Amino acid sequence: MTIAEKNPQNCLSDWNGIMERDIQQEGEAQKVNVCDPPSESNPPAETLVTTFCLLGNHMFADTVEQKEARGTAVKKGGEENVDQSHCAANEQILDVEPHCNQAKKLETENSEDQNNASTNPADSECEDAAMDNDQSDSGEFVVTMLAKAKLEEQGIGLKGRSSPLLEAGTQESHGFMSHRDEDVMADSWRQHRKHVFVLSEAGKPIYSRYGSEEALSSTMGVMMALVSFVQSGDNIIRSVYSEEHIVVFLQKGPLVLVCVSSSRQSEEQLRAELLYVYYQIISMLTQASISRIFEHKKNYDLRRLLAGSEKILDGLLNLVDSDPSFLLAAVHCLPLASSLRESLSQTLQKAITPNLVFSILIAKNQLLTIVQEKTVIEDTRLEPADVHLLLNLIGASSAFQAGEIWTPICLPLFNPDCYFYAYISYLDPPECTVCLLLLSTDKEAFYAVADCKRKIEEAMVAQNSLSLIAKAQSYSVSQVGVSDLRHFMYKPFDVPDNYRQLTQFTSPEMEAPYSSEDEKMRLLDLYRFMHSRIHSTSRPLKLIYHVAERETLLAWVTSKFELYTCFSPLVTKACAITAITKLLRWIKKEEDRLFIRYPPKYSTTPNPSKSSRGSKSDQQDTTDNGFLSLL
Amino acid sequence: MGETLQTSPGGAQRHGVTFNRPVRTLRVKMVLLGSSGVGKSSLALRFSKDEFRTVSPTVGCAYLTRVVHLSDVTLRFEIWDTAGQEKYHSVTPLYYRGAHTALLIYDISKKETFIRAQMWLKELEKQYIPGSTVIWLVGNKGDLTQDRQVSVQEGQALASDRGLSFTETSALSGDQVSELLLAIAHRVYECVGAQQGGLSEWQETPHMDLHHRDAFNPFGSCCKVGP
């Protein structure tokens, strides 16, 4: 924040430098993707192409007829890459080019030595040896793969028809199908911007964002075939690039998550989104349970357990697309006079019961305040992702409006293996905008926790808090008083260490010209682009000045904050810098209102050793949760 | 009989009944069980607010209240509307333990929900002491007669076979819902209320789980299902 205030001129020259470097690196980066010409042609390569084309059946409309394609070359690069400095030794680029224009690139990364192979000569030797091995055995390797893939397909075909478990799962979930009835062969289905699939290691469909999982079982089978094909070479498949789409894979325990996107987001961003999907599943079932289930029965149909939760996953994916909180991995709180926020926190602080660990107040789907148990706050802090999952859960389920809810829920980043018990209730029926969320580690505590809610309710009535909260709203960018500034997102890092505060960000309402859904999405896409440049793994940038078609954007990351700004297209670089200086001053002045500054704590746990994280007692909870079937 | 059904959301609004008045208020724990999508939440909403709206699948368990006035007693129903989804089955015993009345709900237009209701019954029978819990079989979605897969006779037969009461309702139209609640109220008061310590008196601050208040008991007492 201070850098800009002191010396905007320096910043400008920095920019030029960075931008130049940027351009240079762009050139280099393109080299990275250049592969060796095909050094040998592998006859069994058709198999691989066929595999791709099977996927293409659903994903890439044009490739269907490529099934018959012969004489296609499979290129394996990697060992003699031109630009070794950028391409780590452990990265192979496997290029598959069918006859059509859609070049697909399969990037794989060695599973054993993911990051530091290049620094360890012994490792890279091993790597080379392994790769040679791969090459000489490639015929055999691909044949094995073919057999595997076939097996997989047959397996799926059979299971799809005969498994009683699968049928049970289907019946369970019937009532809640929305766009699950979509025809997966239709063009409209293919044209969705972002598909997300979740499958088990046995290739069983678990979730699809669009279309029914059964109809997609063969597509998912092919995805799994791709995953296991690469796995059999001791590698992990990470992504497949085509002209229009990028396919990103994420393997987490027994689950495989796949994203097929035409959104032009970076691979890293898409993978982060898949991770949110995984965490949302964990929040409902816990990691320990999922592992145990699949250890016990490899081809278990997890949809049985997720039945009724599709809406929560759908809601999450919609939020991920429309809410920058997920991109920034930070929480957006509702701007509120600090005195009011403090009095609300005090109210929460007073209404406590043993084993209560978090008290969270939410209004209009944004955080008002959060109070934590003392021992918990010393131990750790609540991660933004966990808060996002909680907010999504509340947003996606209208059931909460009917009464008080008591439900087991896991906060995957806090502890992926144990459950909290969440008490959720709205404080302002029938409007239902102010929501109280109390998390306890004791599943028996419902009445005690519900009693806390009544205390909080009484206190809030006494202080007339609800009507004050109702008046609170997000702010307009015009309040900053900078004429060319249209929108911004500011995420500070400068939180005092001792508070271990929740990562937050602030952002004004999206106003004209970003009032329509399409325009909002376009701005978010621009931010996503800037974000991907700032956080690029190969060459991260600190500062980007980007002149887009209809606006000018500036992104800047320092050790103290991360800032994304959007200006009118006519702004000059000098104006933008002045504007940012002003903006940073304004934020500094308003920060007590914009952020939760000093998260209060309370002490409820009589015995500190019983705090939730990692305690034996809570591990017990998951063993309790045997998911015994009543079928 | 002169009793009335007044809507009174017990949680939010303090009811004027105190224990020095001649009419006592007794707490009745009611649990709704059944497959996903049979209309448990809709029925619960009818019970507590006499409303109908399309609801999402319940997360965990929803807690609602409803006060029913009988001629000589007031019953405060604490309704535990459980989630039908299988992932919550491991925690469901938490909700039905100690219930005075359990409603086994199925969807008359879906045969498999009727079969599942019988599974739930078996599960319940492991837990309850005969006479202490009133179990009621409820065929919901009575408005879907054109899609009926479970006949009235089948429901009736199962109920009389296992000694349950039986009603068909429609949460959508509200048909038979208040009649059902009233019938349950009478039955619970007759069967359970008559027993010594069957129903506890309701006070401003519920003193349930006193034994859990001071001691942290992570192992729960009886929250394991089946083997």
Side-chain angles (χ1 to χ4, degrees):
Chain A
M1 190 175 295
T2 46
I3 297 167
E5 280 166 13
K6 280 183 202 154
N7 211 342
Q9 287 310 318
N10 266 0
C11 295
L12 184 61
S13 57
D14 274 1
W15 282 346
N16 293 332
I18 287 163
M19 272 183 293
E20 265 167 46
R21 214 154 11 105
D22 191 9
I23 292 157
Q24 274 178 7
Q25 283 177 341
E26 191 101 65
E28 283 173 54
Q30 273 161 8
K31 267 185 255 159
V32 178
N33 292 343
V34 174
C35 280
D36 294 336
S39 52
E40 54 181 307
S41 73
N42 288 323
E46 299 153 28
T47 354
L48 187 57
V49 176
T50 315
T51 319
F52 274 117
C53 291
L54 273 169
L55 181 66
N57 253 339
H58 287 302
M59 306 315 311
F60 313 112
D62 294 340
T63 48
V64 180
E65 64 270 24
Q66 296 296 325
K67 233 175 191 172
E68 299 301 312
R70 301 259 155 191
T72 317
V74 172
K75 289 186 265 175
K76 273 198 178 184
E79 83 259 44
E80 286 163 41
N81 236 316
V82 191
D83 198 331
Q84 292 289 357
S85 67
H86 278 287
C87 193
N90 59 351
E91 206 173 82
Q92 305 177 40
I93 295 171
L94 191 75
D95 221 337
V96 184
E97 279 179 23
H99 277 186
C100 66
N101 293 332
Q102 291 188 336
K104 294 181 193 73
K105 190 178 72 199
L106 192 70
E107 279 183 37
T108 62
E109 197 173 280
N110 196 284
S111 56
E112 283 148 334
D113 32 38
Q114 294 231 341
N115 293 317
N116 44 11
S118 48
T119 57
N120 188 336
D123 267 358
S124 20
E125 268 169 46
C126 278
E127 173 70 29
D128 284 345
M131 226 175 308
D132 287 341
N133 213 6
D134 259 6
Q135 295 251 311
S136 56
D137 289 353
S138 59
E140 197 186 327
F141 176 61
V142 177
V143 170
T144 320
M145 181 52 215
L146 173 68
K148 249 190 189 172
K150 272 205 172 144
L151 232 147
E152 209 91 38
E153 265 173 71
Q154 282 167 353
I156 284 153
L158 283 173
K159 280 169 216 154
R161 258 167 249 120
S162 63
S163 163
L165 285 179
L166 187 76
E167 257 142 54
T170 321
Q171 285 161 355
E172 272 283 299
S173 49
H174 260 326
F176 310 108
M177 299 275 169
S178 47
H179 44 77
R180 301 243 122 63
D181 308 326
E182 240 180 86
D183 178 9
V184 299
M185 298 308 281
D187 272 346
S188 59
W189 184 83
R190 283 199 197 100
Q191 272 149 20
H192 284 298
R193 197 174 123 108
K194 197 184 286 166
H195 282 275
V196 172
F197 307 95
V198 183
L199 43 147
S200 73
E201 266 187 324
K204 269 224 159 133
I206 293 170
Y207 170 80
S208 165
R209 188 179 187 186
Y210 305 105
S212 83
E213 293 88 6
E214 293 102 83
L216 291 164
S217 61
S218 61
T219 308
M220 297 213 200
V222 173
M223 288 172 183
M224 196 53 228
L226 275 173
V227 170
S228 36
F229 172 83
V230 177
Q231 216 163 35
S232 59
D234 269 344
N235 262 328
I236 294 173
I237 187 165
R238 296 173 63 82
S239 56
V240 179
Y241 286 83
S242 84
E243 211 169 315
E244 296 289 320
H245 293 84
I246 166 171
V247 186
V248 177
F249 295 83
L250 175 70
Q251 272 173 278
K252 289 298 265 178
L255 303 187
V256 176
L257 298 97
V258 184
C259 173
V260 180
S261 159
S262 57
S263 68
R264 300 274 160 219
Q265 279 172 271
S266 74
E267 188 182 326
E268 287 73 27
Q269 287 173 349
L270 294 169
R271 191 165 289 114
E273 294 181 3
L274 286 179
L275 201 55
Y276 279 117
V277 174
Y278 174 71
Y279 285 148
Q280 188 81 71
I281 294 172
I282 293 301
S283 79
M284 297 182 274
L285 302 176
T286 75
Q287 193 165 272
S289 300
I290 292 178
S291 311
R292 202 170 41 243
I293 286 164
F294 284 105
E295 259 164 43
H296 188 70
K297 196 159 182 269
K298 269 240 171 306
N299 65 348
Y300 185 85
D301 185 357
L302 201 64
R303 286 185 306 156
R304 276 176 63 179
L305 293 180
L306 287 175
S309 308
E310 296 89 349
K311 219 176 152 177
I312 291 170
L313 292 174
D314 293 348
L316 176 78
L317 287 168
N318 292 338
L319 268 186
V320 160
D321 281 341
S322 62
D323 182 347
S325 320
F326 292 86
L327 178 72
L328 295 174
V331 175
H332 195 198
C333 71
L334 195 69
L336 210 62
S338 59
S339 57
L340 177 56
R341 208 187 298 275
E342 221 162 273
S343 83
L344 290 173
S345 304
Q346 278 169 10
T347 304
L348 295 186
Q349 241 173 326
K350 280 176 200 153
I352 53 171
T353 178
N355 302 311
L356 189 67
V357 283
F358 289 109
S359 306
I360 304 171
L361 203 55
I362 298 149
K364 297 162 190 155
N365 296 318
Q366 288 174 329
L367 215 54
L368 278 177
T369 185
I370 185 162
V371 186
Q372 306 185 351
E373 212 283 328
K374 228 176 229 160
T375 49
V376 171
I377 212 170
E378 275 164 25
D379 197 4
T380 182
R381 62 173 184 174
L382 201 52
E383 290 292 329
D386 283 340
V387 178
H388 292 153
L389 298 178
L390 287 171
L391 288 176
N392 177 53
L393 180 78
I394 293 168
S397 180
S398 62
F400 296 135
Q401 302 183 5
E404 295 156 77
I405 296 283
W406 184 245
T407 182
I409 181 132
C410 162
L411 299 181
L413 285 129
F414 191 87
N415 183 341
D417 298 326
C418 89
Y419 276 120
F420 279 107
Y421 292 84
Y423 171 91
I424 305 165
S425 174
Y426 280 94
L427 299 175
D428 60 340
E431 286 83 16
C432 294
T433 55
V434 182
C435 183
L436 177 70
L437 177 63
L438 301 171
L439 290 172
S440 169
T441 52
D442 179 7
K443 64 178 152 206
E444 310 277 339
F446 173 81
Y447 287 101
V449 175
D451 211 35
C452 291
K453 180 238 175 177
R454 274 171 264 293
K455 280 184 204 152
I456 292 166
E457 210 169 34
E458 276 166 24
M460 285 179 74
V461 167
Q463 294 166 9
N464 197 24
S465 313
L466 282 176
S467 63
L468 293 172
I469 292 170
K471 279 182 210 140
Q473 53 187 335
S474 204
Y475 55 96
S476 158
V477 73
S478 61
Q479 290 181 27
V480 182
V482 177
S483 58
D484 283 323
L485 186 66
R486 287 180 175 179
H487 191 259
F488 68 89
M489 304 192 293
Y490 173 86
K491 172 182 162 184
F493 301 134
D494 62 336
V495 288
D497 275 348
N498 50 332
Y499 290 118
R500 310 198 66 180
Q501 201 170 306
L502 190 67
T503 312
Q504 299 164 58
F505 80 101
T506 188
S507 183
E509 293 276 19
M510 280 196 187
E511 291 160 312
Y514 308 107
S515 21
S516 76
E517 285 308 308
D518 284 353
E519 282 299 297
K520 264 180 201 164
M521 195 50 111
R522 202 175 57 79
L523 178 60
L524 282 174
D525 282 343
L526 285 166
Y527 280 148
R528 284 185 194 116
F529 168 73
M530 303 290 274
H531 179 273
S532 73
R533 299 295 298 277
I534 292 268
H535 295 275
S536 157
T537 43
S538 52
R539 48 205 171 91
L541 299 175
K542 287 215 149 92
L543 200 54
I544 311 169
Y545 183 77
H546 176 69
V547 181
E549 218 173 301
R550 281 178 266 173
E551 51 273 290
T552 296
L553 293 110
L554 195 153
W556 186 17
V557 61
T558 72
S559 60
K560 292 192 168 168
F561 62 83
E562 190 169 332
L563 174 70
Y564 298 85
T565 50
C566 172
F567 293 96
S568 70
L570 298 173
V571 77
T572 61
K573 236 179 240 177
C575 280
I577 293 161
T578 327
I580 283 187
T581 313
K582 267 191 177 172
L583 171 63
L584 291 173
R585 270 197 209 118
W586 182 82
I587 292 170
K588 182 85 197 152
K589 193 176 77 179
E590 298 285 324
E591 65 187 353
D592 282 346
R593 193 171 65 91
L594 301 178
F595 299 105
I596 300 174
R597 294 281 290 162
Y598 304 104
K601 17 186 174 172
Y602 50 61
S603 181
T604 60
T605 310
N607 180 354
S609 68
K610 295 270 167 65
S611 92
S612 169
R613 179 184 275 255
S615 78
K616 288 245 166 58
S617 52
D618 283 285
Q619 298 295 342
Q620 183 67 25
D621 268 352
T622 54
T623 41
D624 243 6
N625 200 336
F627 289 114
L628 275 148
S629 157
L630 288 166
L631 267 170
Chain B
M1 280 190 193
E3 60 257 11
T4 50
L5 279 170
Q6 286 170 12
T7 308
S8 168
Q13 183 189 317
R14 285 291 127 78
H15 207 265
V17 182
T18 50
F19 27 102
N20 34 10
R21 283 197 24 200
V23 177
R24 298 177 305 155
T25 300
L26 300 177
R27 303 171 67 189
V28 180
K29 181 173 176 181
M30 175 197 266
V31 60
L32 308 185
L33 300 169
S35 301
S36 202
V38 297
K40 294 180 295 301
S41 297
S42 299
L43 215 50
L45 201 59
R46 274 278 174 214
F47 283 152
S48 76
K49 296 185 177 149
D50 200 19
E51 282 173 14
F52 180 82
R53 57 172 179 245
T54 337
V55 293
S56 308
T58 307
V59 173
C61 188
Y63 175 86
L64 304 99
T65 53
R66 170 67 191 261
V67 174
V68 175
H69 301 285
L70 301 183
S71 48
D72 55 346
V73 73
T74 298
L75 298 182
R76 184 178 188 270
F77 277 92
E78 297 176 352
I79 305 166
W80 289 88
D81 166 27
T82 64
Q85 301 157 42
E86 195 176 327
K87 66 168 168 286
Y88 294 116
H89 286 180
S90 57
V91 287
T92 309
L94 188 67
Y95 308 125
Y96 64 65
R97 186 178 356 125
H100 303 112
T101 174
L103 271 60
L104 291 172
I105 303 165
Y106 67 90
D107 174 352
I108 62 151
S109 69
K110 286 207 183 92
K111 186 85 184 177
E112 73 268 13
T113 64
F114 183 63
I115 296 159
R116 293 278 299 195
Q118 299 172 44
M119 303 291 179
W120 277 112
L121 181 59
K122 266 190 209 141
E123 202 52 44
L124 262 179
E125 281 171 344
K126 282 185 206 157
Q127 301 264 338
Y128 86 125
I129 311 142
S132 73
T133 311
V134 174
I135 301 181
W136 213 286
L137 186 68
V138 180
N140 193 31
K141 305 202 185 177
D143 47 289
L144 296 176
T145 38
Q146 71 280 11
D147 301 320
R148 184 186 279 278
Q149 287 183 4
V150 184
S151 68
V152 186
Q153 289 74 29
E154 276 175 279
Q156 194 67 66
L158 175 70
S160 48
D161 189 37
R162 305 293 199 89
L164 320 173
S165 307
F166 173 70
T167 305
E168 276 197 3
T169 59
S170 165
L172 178 76
S173 68
D175 184 39
Q176 294 297 313
V177 174
S178 46
E179 288 83 350
L180 170 65
L181 188 61
L182 209 52
I184 293 170
H186 279 293
R187 182 67 63 81
V188 168
Y189 187 52
E190 280 161 24
C191 297
V192 190
Q195 292 172 16
Q196 192 65 36
L199 293 175
S200 64
E201 202 146 340
W202 183 66
Q203 293 157 7
E204 284 284 303
T205 316
H207 286 295
M208 266 275 283
D209 289 359
L210 265 182
H211 54 291
H212 283 303
R213 285 217 154 186
D214 298 315
F216 177 73
N217 181 5
F219 297 97
S221 36
C222 39
C223 286
K224 292 188 177 69
V225 193

